[in-house]
Amino acid sequence: FDKILIANRGEIACRVIKTCKKMGIKTVAVHSDVDSSAVHVKMADEAVCVGPAPTSKSYLNMDAIMNAIKQTGAQAVHPGYGFLSENKEFAKRLEAEGVTFIGPDTHAIQAMGDKIESKLIAKAAKVNTIPGFDGVVKDAEEAVKIAGEIGYPVMIKASAGGGGKGMRIAWNDEETREGFRFSSQEAASSFGDDRLLIEKFIDNPRHIEIQVLADKHGNALWLNERECSIQRRNQKVVEEAPSTFLDPDTRRAMGEQAVSLAKAVKYSSAGTVEFLVDTKKNFYFLEMNTRLQVEHPITECITGLDLVQQMILIAKGYKLQQKQSDIPINGWAIESRVYAEDPYKSFGLPSIGRLSQYQEPLDLPNVRVDSGIQEGSDISIYYDPMISKLVTYGKTREEALKKMEEALDNYVIRGVTHNIPLLREIIVHPRFVSGDISTKFLPEVYPDGFKGHMLTAGERRELLATAAALYVAVEIDGEKVEVSGEWNLASALLPITINGKHRNLQCLLRTAAGEITLQYLGTSFKLRVLSKLAAYLRKHMPEKIPEDTSSILRSPMPGSVVAVSVKPGDNVAEGQEICVIEAMKMQNSMTAAKTAKVKSVHCKAGDTVGEGDLLVELE
Amino acid sequence: MNDKQHFSERHNRPRAVTLTLLSVARALCYSVSHLSVQERIEKKRKAALTGGGQLRIAAQHKRGKLTARERLELLLDPDSFVEYDMFVEHRCSDFGMEADHNKYPGDSVVTGQGRINGRLVYVFSQDFTVFGGSLSGAHAQKVCKIMDQAMMVGAPVIGLNDSGGARIQEGVESLAGYADIFLRNVMASGVVPQISLIMGPCAGGAVYSPALTDFTFMVKDTSYLFITGPDVVKSVTNEDVTQEELGGAKTHTTVSGVAHRAFENDIDALLNLRDFFNFLPLSNKDPAPVTECHDPRDRLVPGLDTIVPLESTKAYDMLDIVHGIVDEREFFEIMPNYAKNIVVGFARMNGRTVGIVGNQPKVASGCLDINSSVKGARFVRFCDAFNIPIITFVDVPGFLPGTAQEYGGIIRHGAKLLYAFAEATVPKITVITRKAYGGAYDVMSSKHLRGDVNYAWPSAEVAVMGAKGAVQIIFRGKENQAEAEAEYVEKFANPFPAAVRGFVDDIIQPSTTRKRICRDLEVLASKKQTNPWKKHANIPL
């Protein structure tokens, strides 16, 4: 191809453009009006605006994208992931215009995109599948009936879905009804298709997926697995390749089943077959993603292949050059998804804002950062809140993990709340380090929610010493702590040596009144450095009474109000739903913190609300 | 003292030689009186240090407030405080005030001088534990003494206010005391910086001293400023209002604009005051202070290239620009919660203090109204008085229209900001980030008001008004308004009309703004400009 249009935004658009540049192919970016100065637009040779900010009017606007293709004369389209990547209509329209879709053909997209159909095909191709109901569920009552037949727990999910959207787990009839309602709403808003299905929910499974690569000549390869068990709300957070759990036999069995499925649907291009693996290494087919996955870089790291390049070559009609025996597992790769979200609220509620400072840890060796933003970029409510994918690579898992610690400590992100505290904790947690993980890792390890790093006595001393050293220095509880470093208060990073140990901290805030916020081991800690006199006199300072939060409901994140279910004067019970906020396409039910009468309602359906905005007051 | 007494005693001796007995008696006498003076000094000092006594100190602490002396210890560098007038006592003899137990050495205020980060400052700290910190003639006299000396040597005055008001027992003497202080506040105005920190009640006539000083800061929840308290308000206007609502920190920093900042508690306030002090020159004869700077002067700020949204109706945060440009992102904002459509405050560029003025598009589109004009004008005049260069960021759609503004005298108040920028002779650098419309363009430190360096970003639009309004006037009643609007945008909604006329000196890439300003400030450091001789100017008050 001479010119490829990338029908996507953010990091994946940048990722595709990079490979195109390497291959000497010209690129066309599409963008919404708010994205007109985004990184992917600047990187591409040409850029076309395809509409206003909401995705349904821009990145999902097929007419506008088709026009952009005509206008620029692009010969092929790479869809990235999400948006139109698994949309058969789009693929069909491209085909009709004689434009190559860099991905599988419409038949495969359709077959695998429908969870019900894909399961039937998988069964026929002798792939292990999960017991469940192979059909569309009509309403909540039918859902309850079917759930009863399969036996709880069950999983309700959108037939057209992916990425955890429109997916709910139910343990009883009531949750089934609620889950049905939310899932169908989410499915409608995310995929424009509210069909749902139900299947048995495999408790405590691992999520392991096999990358496949197939050409148009009937050749297919499996490129080993990716372990994606660390998830929150069914969205992946940390991925690695290979998995600590698979032995060569299981790996081969999974790989061969994946390839046979690919062959069964005459698949071409890169694709991913997702499996659930239980504790006894039984694996069940979950779904096949007919696109490039978010976490593809870790496979690239251990196999040395450029998957985007392979996709382009396959789309052009080239045969695969490699044989299955050519596919290596070289070393170990870890990917952390760095999100603009608050990890202290349900392991991550979206946050928005402007990246006032931003530095990727690219000066470290064996670190890869796939991002589509830069200092000054806005993280808006319109799109996915992912900041970047941070990938580290090493000869061994230990080496890759060590590098990840270092990379996270050197990653400067200011202006938005981010999940580095959580990522930093996961990768050093003994269970994660030993490989003892499942999709329930986060709720099991942090049953009361993530609270940040818990300091040991030694760490506490290190932290206090650093804080104090920023003003003067340092003796703690009679023990002298040596702090030295070449720091510069104007720079974002704070490299120091404490008692001979090297650490990378970041100073996030330092005020005249001695308040200091340090990011240490990923978590931000608030400290106060005071002179002896000021510390002594502090006991006289009045305590400020914090606002009573049980009687007010504030929006935990920026988003839009989908529904308000109460009005002033209503009596609400503790835990009753008060309103629903949608942010980043996730619907979140806001509930009453106590049983009370509604005093006033400050929002209505359709309103856009910011984090901390007052929604409803109770008496 | 001791030596002198010995000396005089030796002189007396020849006469005493003849009368041994007498001499012995005298010696005895002397040693008694000698001890008692020394003792009395110690006793008085001790009394002065404990103010109104332990009980009242405990009560002060219980209110969440520190004592006058604890506050000074926190404010000043360790061991730098030199106290004046520790032995001064009030002279009132009515209502039993002459009784010994009603006399407190030092009376109800602690005065002296000290250092903040090594720089000289004169301070007074009212002592609420002595007659509620009320102002006696002696109290006023002590304050006046340090103010006079501060002006003579050229050092700022910081007042820590915590006073119930006039010493009623003293009557008119107390009123005279206030006036003496007011006069000195006025005389010192523009000579040395004056800062008031309200740390307790400050009511009645007392409020006018802080009001005359350059900056008034308050402590949240424990300080009040009002002319008359809630009781009098109730009896006169029948309004029910609490102390906090009437004159608390929130009221004065958000509604009235009387106070410039509020802090959480005494410690927070005093530590912030130390920080604030570092920005100020010691007097009008001193240049703006320069500190060591670790932030590279030629640092590029890539984030600024994308900060101004494409649609001119969309807001952005001017503080993002300010933080990006100044040293170490450090910005001491003045009146952050009042008239938020204009941002003013102190920062440093390459280590040198500068005053920042910026329209805030996030609030009321950054328009100028009565409150923002007055807020901006006072700040600009302070900077000009104390040799602090002014950097102005312009994104202003104009003055706020409406009856409320016109009836309120926006003409008169808007003129203050215009006046302040025009009269200022310190280095003035202006950056037009987006809109600079109409009269407001002229006001905001334009080239025409002797701006030294005026820049436009590529997103700048210098015009009489926005395209829509302009087209409605130029092409009134005509069709094809949309076409005309596009033409107007093409012609005027860009920096060229101003640039071709030399009204802006250059169109610069936003990311280079810090580098450019640092360089300009170095050049302008030797700027000399004087206004014509006058007794004083007549700003439209």
Side-chain angles (χ1 to χ4, degrees):
Chain A
F1 305 113
D2 298 326
K3 196 190 261 186
I4 291 178
L5 179 139
I6 297 101
N8 214 305
R9 66 181 298 282
E11 67 89 13
I12 194 63
C14 298
R15 161 75 190 89
V16 175
I17 293 171
K18 266 182 207 155
T19 289
C20 289
K21 287 198 164 157
K22 194 171 78 181
M23 297 172 73
I25 300 170
K26 287 213 157 34
T27 51
V28 181
V30 293
H31 61 90
S32 66
D33 52 10
V34 293
D35 270 346
S36 55
S37 55
V39 179
H40 74 279
V41 173
K42 286 184 198 155
M43 276 176 74
D45 298 302
E46 286 173 74
V48 181
C49 180
V50 289
T55 52
S56 59
K57 290 180 180 150
S58 51
Y59 295 104
L60 289 172
N61 181 347
M62 282 190 235
D63 292 336
I65 292 174
M66 294 310 293
N67 280 338
I69 294 167
K70 261 181 231 156
Q71 188 189 324
T72 56
Q75 296 149 332
V77 171
H78 195 298
Y81 53 74
F83 296 136
L84 298 171
S85 63
E86 291 172 286
N87 186 308
K88 52 184 188 282
E89 286 306 313
F90 183 58
K92 263 185 206 148
R93 285 183 69 170
L94 290 176
E95 208 174 346
E97 296 285 335
V99 178
T100 311
F101 178 76
I102 302 176
D105 61 24
T106 48
H107 165 69
I109 298 177
Q110 175 159 13
M112 292 295 106
D114 190 306
K115 286 196 176 154
I116 297 161
E117 199 186 333
S118 72
K119 211 167 155 183
L120 295 174
I121 296 171
K123 254 187 192 164
K126 300 211 161 49
V127 177
N128 308 350
T129 55
I130 305 172
F133 177 70
D134 303 330
V136 176
V137 185
K138 283 199 287 294
D139 56 35
E141 288 319 308
E142 192 188 346
V144 170
K145 197 175 122 245
I146 297 165
E149 283 165 14
I150 305 172
Y152 284 108
V154 297
M155 164 104 76
I156 303 160
K157 56 185 186 180
S159 177
K165 282 177 183 147
M167 203 184 275
R168 286 286 194 286
I169 294 155
W171 295 79
N172 54 44
D173 291 358
E174 198 180 319
E175 283 179 15
T176 306
R177 285 190 196 97
E178 191 186 335
F180 185 88
R181 186 160 59 93
F182 275 120
S183 291
S184 65
Q185 278 170 19
E186 260 176 44
S189 84
S190 296
F191 315 111
D193 176 353
D194 63 358
R195 289 179 304 146
L196 299 179
L197 62 118
I198 294 186
E199 64 191 18
K200 173 131 184 102
F201 173 63
I202 296 174
D203 199 14
N204 219 18
R206 286 169 181 258
H207 178 124
I208 299 178
E209 59 191 25
I210 301 285
Q211 174 74 51
V212 296
L213 202 55
D215 64 18
K216 292 182 175 174
H217 309 279
N219 304 310
L221 300 171
W222 47 276
L223 308 186
N224 301 316
E225 78 281 10
R226 290 187 290 258
E227 164 74 73
C228 310
S229 297
I230 306 291
Q231 306 185 344
R232 48 120 182 81
R233 298 194 307 267
N234 289 319
Q235 280 187 301
K236 297 160 191 167
V237 183
V238 175
E239 298 109 337
E240 61 184 309
S243 166
T244 54
F245 191 59
L246 296 193
D247 51 61
D249 288 341
T250 316
R251 177 175 298 127
R252 190 176 331 105
M254 288 172 76
E256 280 166 2
Q257 286 199 6
V259 163
S260 79
L261 177 62
K263 285 184 171 161
V265 289
K266 298 201 172 57
Y267 196 85
S268 70
S269 191
T272 299
V273 182
E274 298 189 340
F275 291 98
L276 288 182
V277 182
D278 72 13
T279 45
K280 298 186 186 67
K281 293 188 187 165
N282 296 316
F283 55 91
Y284 303 98
F285 170 71
L286 193 59
E287 60 180 356
M288 179 168 188
N289 294 320
T290 57
R291 54 171 157 86
L292 191 63
Q293 292 278 94
V294 176
E295 58 274 23
H296 74 275
I298 51 176
T299 297
E300 297 185 328
C301 281
I302 61 161
T303 61
L305 290 172
D306 178 335
L307 288 177
V308 174
Q309 185 178 17
Q310 294 296 328
M311 286 176 84
I312 294 171
L313 292 175
I314 291 169
K316 185 72 189 163
Y318 289 103
K319 271 191 185 167
L320 283 173
Q321 298 292 305
Q322 296 81 3
K323 288 200 265 323
Q324 187 62 49
S325 56
D326 297 339
I327 306 301
I329 300 183
N330 283 333
W332 213 285
I334 317 263
E335 174 180 282
S336 293
R337 295 196 192 184
V338 181
Y339 276 104
E341 51 182 32
D342 184 347
Y344 299 102
K345 295 179 188 163
S346 343
F347 300 115
L349 285 188
S351 109
I352 54 168
R354 189 171 173 275
L355 287 167
S356 55
Q357 273 181 293
Y358 184 75
Q359 274 174 36
E360 293 172 353
L362 285 175
D363 47 341
L364 301 172
N366 290 336
V367 172
R368 165 174 168 178
V369 184
D370 280 21
S371 69
I373 43 107
Q374 61 185 1
E375 189 167 310
S377 291
D378 265 317
I379 308 286
S380 72
I381 60 167
Y382 299 112
Y383 310 114
D384 192 73
M386 189 158 78
I387 296 173
S388 77
K389 303 184 305 204
L390 176 61
V391 180
T392 59
Y393 173 75
K395 282 201 195 71
T396 60
R397 186 168 187 259
E398 197 187 352
E399 207 180 297
L401 282 174
K402 206 77 218 155
K403 188 57 74 182
M404 182 60 79
E405 275 182 49
E406 205 182 329
L408 287 169
D409 283 343
N410 279 284
Y411 206 142
V412 178
I413 303 169
R414 306 282 162 81
V416 296
T417 313
H418 55 77
N419 67 339
I420 284 182
L422 177 64
L423 297 171
R424 183 72 172 69
E425 278 302 283
I426 291 172
I427 58 152
V428 296
H429 194 277
R431 266 190 64 183
F432 181 83
V433 171
S434 70
D436 172 22
I437 53 176
S438 76
T439 52
K440 287 177 138 184
F441 177 83
L442 289 178
E444 276 173 13
V445 170
Y446 307 106
D448 305 321
F450 180 62
K451 302 267 191 281
H453 181 73
M454 296 299 152
L455 292 174
T456 64
E459 288 167 350
R460 183 167 165 274
R461 252 200 317 277
E462 279 186 15
L463 184 61
L464 290 172
T466 311
L470 289 174
Y471 290 81
V472 277
V474 183
E475 207 180 59
I476 291 165
D477 305 332
E479 189 179 333
K480 200 152 182 199
V481 184
E482 293 285 341
V483 182
S484 64
E486 273 298 301
W487 65 68
N488 172 347
L489 293 178
S491 98
L493 290 171
L494 200 65
I496 54 158
T497 310
I498 311 168
N499 284 345
K501 215 181 316 166
H502 184 76
R503 294 274 193 201
N504 258 305
L505 280 77
Q506 297 186 26
C507 179
L508 306 181
L509 177 84
R510 197 167 48 93
T511 72
E515 288 160 287
I516 180 162
T517 306
L518 289 177
Q519 183 181 317
Y520 173 65
L521 302 175
T523 299
S524 326
F525 293 95
K526 282 188 183 158
L527 301 106
R528 195 182 274 273
V529 180
L530 291 173
S531 66
K532 254 189 182 157
L533 174 69
Y536 168 74
L537 292 174
R538 241 172 86 76
K539 64 179 183 211
H540 299 306
M541 293 299 99
E543 235 175 274
K544 307 273 162 163
I545 300 141
E547 201 175 30
D548 175 17
T549 48
S550 69
S551 60
I552 48 175
L553 184 68
R554 292 182 184 279
S555 177
M557 71 214 137
S560 60
V561 180
V562 179
V564 182
S565 18
V566 296
K567 55 184 188 305
D570 286 2
N571 285 308
V572 291
E574 185 180 332
Q576 187 183 331
E577 178 183 295
I578 288 185
C579 61
V580 179
I581 306 283
E582 184 181 281
M584 319 279 179
K585 294 202 172 144
M586 286 292 295
Q587 297 210 342
N588 301 275
S589 167
M590 304 283 118
T591 55
K594 63 175 186 187
T595 302
K597 199 179 216 180
V598 176
K599 189 175 168 196
S600 55
V601 176
H602 298 271
C603 63
K604 58 179 190 299
D607 282 0
T608 304
V609 292
E611 181 177 340
D613 281 5
L614 186 61
L615 300 174
V616 170
E617 274 181 280
L618 303 176
E619 272 175 4
Chain B
M1 201 83 162
N2 225 348
D3 282 353
K4 218 173 173 186
Q5 295 271 353
H6 275 294
F7 181 73
S8 65
E9 196 226 15
R10 245 179 272 128
H11 269 258
N12 287 339
R13 202 161 281 176
R15 279 197 280 144
V17 175
T18 49
L19 288 162
T20 317
L21 243 175
L22 194 65
S23 145
V24 169
R26 278 178 66 100
L28 206 70
C29 228
Y30 159 71
S31 76
V32 167
S33 76
H34 166 77
L35 274 175
S36 87
V37 168
Q38 200 53 257
E39 254 174 17
R40 277 168 63 197
I41 293 169
E42 290 309 318
K43 214 176 135 198
K44 290 267 182 201
R45 275 197 199 282
K46 217 173 148 201
L49 290 176
T50 46
Q54 288 306 334
L55 278 178
R56 292 206 182 93
I57 289 176
Q60 176 85 348
H61 284 157
K62 211 162 169 204
R63 280 185 211 105
K65 302 197 296 182
L66 298 179
T67 65
R69 286 177 189 280
E70 285 166 345
R71 286 166 175 169
L72 287 177
E73 268 187 89
L74 280 176
L75 175 66
L76 302 171
D77 295 346
D79 301 323
S80 72
F81 182 51
V82 179
E83 185 166 349
Y84 293 180
D85 292 340
M86 203 185 218
F87 299 101
V88 165
E89 290 173 358
H90 74 77
R91 298 172 296 267
C92 180
S93 53
D94 299 321
F95 311 108
M97 289 291 281
E98 70 279 21
D100 266 356
H101 68 268
N102 271 339
K103 298 243 174 174
Y104 295 87
D107 205 19
S108 51
V109 67
V110 182
T111 59
Q113 41 100 340
R115 305 260 163 185
I116 293 179
N117 291 315
R119 299 166 76 231
L120 181 65
V121 61
Y122 282 80
V123 289
F124 68 86
S125 177
Q126 294 180 320
D127 188 348
F128 196 77
T129 65
V130 177
F131 298 118
S134 62
L135 189 124
S136 62
H139 178 138
Q141 193 190 341
K142 283 180 71 174
V143 173
C144 290
K145 189 192 264 183
I146 60 127
M147 289 181 76
D148 289 339
Q149 200 171 85
M151 277 175 74
M152 264 188 303
V153 303
V157 178
I158 293 178
L160 308 181
N161 298 63
D162 188 1
S163 161
R167 180 84 49 89
I168 296 168
Q169 294 90 333
E170 291 198 9
V172 73
E173 188 158 353
S174 174
L175 293 185
Y178 276 124
D180 290 341
I181 296 173
F182 297 156
L183 177 69
R184 280 162 181 82
N185 283 138
V186 173
M187 289 300 112
S189 179
V191 179
V192 294
Q194 301 180 79
I195 306 164
S196 303
L197 176 54
I198 316 299
M199 310 187 80
C202 181
V207 299
Y208 284 108
S209 177
L212 290 167
T213 60
D214 298 302
F215 295 99
T216 302
F217 299 122
M218 293 181 78
V219 180
K220 285 181 195 168
D221 304 323
T222 47
S223 74
Y224 309 97
L225 269 167
F226 35 66
I227 300 279
T228 51
D231 296 344
V232 181
V233 169
K234 173 78 182 163
S235 69
V236 175
T237 67
N238 207 27
E239 288 169 293
D240 272 317
V241 65
T242 64
Q243 273 201 104
E244 183 64 34
E245 286 164 356
L246 185 62
K250 194 168 174 202
T251 302
H252 286 313
T253 51
T254 60
V255 181
S256 72
V258 165
H260 296 86
R261 272 288 277 267
F263 302 103
E264 286 307 316
N265 54 45
D266 280 16
I267 294 176
D268 190 42
L270 292 163
L271 293 179
N272 270 290
L273 188 49
R274 280 178 64 86
D275 184 49
F276 176 65
F277 188 80
N278 297 339
F279 285 101
L280 307 180
L282 294 181
S283 76
N284 60 353
K285 300 251 171 51
D286 272 12
V290 180
T291 61
E292 197 188 340
C293 173
H294 300 283
D295 202 352
R297 55 198 280 274
D298 54 358
R299 172 170 59 85
L300 293 180
V301 194
L304 297 186
D305 286 338
T306 54
I307 191 163
V308 177
L310 294 173
E311 307 100 285
S312 64
T313 49
K314 239 182 122 185
Y316 59 93
D317 191 349
M318 187 56 86
L319 284 171
D320 282 341
I321 296 184
V322 175
H323 285 138
I325 285 176
V326 302
D327 290 358
E328 295 175 19
R329 308 181 65 80
E330 215 177 305
F331 180 55
F332 192 99
E333 195 174 349
I334 297 294
M335 302 175 107
N337 296 314
Y338 177 80
K340 291 202 257 188
N341 41 346
I342 200 165
V343 169
V344 302
F346 297 100
R348 296 188 181 87
M349 294 295 280
N350 200 20
R352 186 192 313 266
T353 298
V354 292
I356 305 270
V357 180
N359 308 111
Q360 173 58 287
K362 239 175 74 174
V363 181
S365 307
C367 71
L368 288 176
D369 57 7
I370 293 172
N371 290 346
S372 60
S373 300
V374 175
K375 171 179 167 182
R378 180 141 176 88
F379 180 76
V380 168
R381 294 195 96 213
F382 176 84
C383 291
D384 187 44
F386 291 101
N387 315 316
I388 298 170
I390 300 164
I391 300 170
T392 309
F393 295 100
V394 185
D395 186 349
V396 63
F399 282 96
L400 181 66
T403 49
Q405 290 291 312
E406 295 291 357
Y407 295 172
I410 179 67
I411 297 175
R412 193 155 64 79
H413 297 294
K416 292 175 186 175
L417 185 57
L418 171 61
Y419 191 106
F421 270 122
E423 108 189 295
T425 55
V426 290
K428 289 187 283 192
I429 297 173
T430 307
V431 181
I432 301 173
T433 61
R434 190 166 61 182
K435 289 172 223 169
Y437 288 169
Y441 153 72
D442 283 339
V443 170
M444 293 302 294
S445 196
S446 63
K447 198 78 197 161
H448 325 287
L449 301 183
R450 303 190 294 185
D452 296 301
V453 184
N454 293 54
Y455 291 123
W457 282 5
S459 46
E461 310 168 14
V462 184
V464 175
M465 53 172 66
K468 210 168 200 142
V471 166
Q472 275 166 12
I473 294 168
I474 305 175
F475 302 99
R476 181 166 294 172
K478 289 210 183 121
E479 280 167 34
N480 286 340
Q481 295 261 329
E483 201 176 295
E485 204 177 307
E487 190 192 337
Y488 187 91
V489 167
E490 171 75 26
K491 267 211 172 104
F492 293 116
N494 60 59
F496 294 114
V500 295
R501 288 166 179 82
F503 299 161
V504 296
D505 300 295
D506 201 355
I507 303 170
I508 61 169
Q509 196 58 31
S511 52
T512 64
T513 308
R514 170 175 169 83
K515 191 170 127 181
R516 303 286 292 241
I517 294 178
C518 282
R519 199 168 59 191
D520 295 330
L521 285 172
E522 253 160 63
V523 172
L524 291 168
S526 57
K527 177 185 175 184
K528 292 262 177 327
Q529 189 172 42
T530 45
N531 292 330
W533 185 91
K534 47 188 108 179
K535 186 175 173 204
H536 66 73
N538 189 14
I539 188 166
L541 293 174

